Amino acid sequence: MQKANDLGRSSTVLEQDSTLIVVIEMSLSSWLVAGIVPGLDRHPLKKLGADEDALIQLLHRWREEATECGHAITRIAVAFEAGRDGFWLARWLRARGVEAFVIHSTSVAVPREHRRAKTDRLDTEHLKRALLGWLRGEPNHCQMTEIPSLDEEDARRPNRERENHVSQQTSIVNRLKACLIRLGIRNFKPTLRYASERLDTLRTPEGVPLPPNTVA
């Protein structure tokens, strides 16, 4: 039985004739917006700057086009993959009456024959198929992620910053060890207290001190 909070499929019945379905392929400076507009034979595709106001205007324009074709739009569903933009756009759209979803990037199945070809246009086609299947309640199309509030997202920041600092520390320590191992020194631990003060006492197997560039 499907759970109400199942993020692997939608729990809302899809009325496709009255639903505007939109996906966004996002980059740092531009958004490629693709839609499935009831009443239109074509699937419109529009490139925008990274501008939320232009996006909402486009959604309203497509809604009006559907209305002109005899399809009154009662639901707008927008989805995009999780990325550097985080969740702010989803929260912004939801505050304006748009159903916004964020897709786990690794959950979208890519046809084997298209794995070598990667374009934004192909990506939007994959996203449209994934979102449409998810809205229909079909399993294994994609997995949505929960959209946190601003306070919830901010509460995660300390842990994420700590993980980032630990990763940076590990990288630096490994680089230091690699530099010393190239000179034949294997027993030095850079993480020990006062380790930097011991550098002057280190000697290579040849009995010479560390060269100046390595010390630096």
Side-chain angles (χ1 to χ4, degrees):
M1 179 180 295
Q2 182 182 349
K3 299 179 181 178
N5 61 347
D6 187 358
L7 296 176
R9 65 179 81 177
S10 175
S11 58
T12 304
V13 176
L14 175 63
E15 301 289 345
Q16 194 165 340
D17 286 341
S18 59
T19 303
L20 174 59
I21 300 172
V22 177
V23 298
I24 310 172
E25 178 65 25
M26 307 176 77
S27 67
L28 185 61
S29 59
S30 64
W31 297 341
L32 186 63
V33 187
I36 302 176
V37 183
L40 297 187
D41 293 332
R42 62 182 177 85
H43 287 184
L45 190 69
K46 179 69 175 179
K47 189 171 186 179
L48 303 174
D51 183 347
E52 63 274 16
D53 291 322
L55 173 62
I56 202 72
Q57 291 174 12
L58 179 64
L59 297 180
H60 291 168
R61 193 180 79 201
W62 284 350
R63 181 177 62 186
E64 292 170 0
E65 291 180 9
T67 301
E68 292 172 358
C69 294
H71 294 266
I73 299 299
T74 59
R75 182 185 183 192
I76 302 177
V78 177
F80 51 89
E81 288 183 303
R84 68 164 65 88
D85 280 275
F87 301 100
W88 74 267
L89 181 59
R91 290 192 295 264
W92 189 88
L93 289 170
R94 287 186 172 186
R96 285 153 182 81
V98 176
E99 291 187 36
F101 306 99
V102 178
I103 304 172
H104 274 292
S105 302
T106 57
S107 71
V108 179
V110 179
R112 185 176 298 274
E113 63 270 19
H114 292 313
R115 285 183 180 175
R116 292 179 180 269
K118 187 181 188 308
T119 66
D120 288 343
R121 186 180 293 270
L122 276 176
D123 288 343
T124 59
E125 290 299 320
H126 298 155
L127 289 178
K128 279 193 295 186
R129 286 195 290 269
L131 177 59
L132 187 57
W134 187 88
L135 289 171
R136 287 171 174 164
E138 301 169 4
N140 303 322
H141 277 274
C142 65
Q143 182 79 15
M144 299 298 175
T145 183
E146 291 187 18
I147 298 174
S149 67
L150 183 59
D151 289 339
E152 290 171 338
E153 191 167 12
D154 189 58
R156 299 174 183 174
R157 179 53 48 195
N159 284 339
R160 290 177 177 173
E161 289 298 328
R162 182 183 182 280
E163 290 173 0
N164 185 44
H165 290 319
V166 169
S167 176
Q168 291 178 356
Q169 180 191 46
T170 301
S171 176
I172 292 172
V173 168
N174 289 339
R175 285 169 55 196
L176 289 172
K177 287 182 177 180
C179 287
L180 295 175
I181 287 173
R182 290 191 190 98
L183 299 177
I185 300 173
R186 296 178 176 274
N187 59 355
F188 183 73
K189 296 182 178 180
T191 55
L192 293 178
R193 182 177 295 184
Y194 308 122
S196 60
E197 299 176 4
R198 294 183 52 214
L199 289 177
D200 292 338
T201 66
L202 293 180
R203 295 294 182 269
T204 69
E206 293 96 331
V208 299
L210 298 179
N213 287 335
T214 300
V215 175

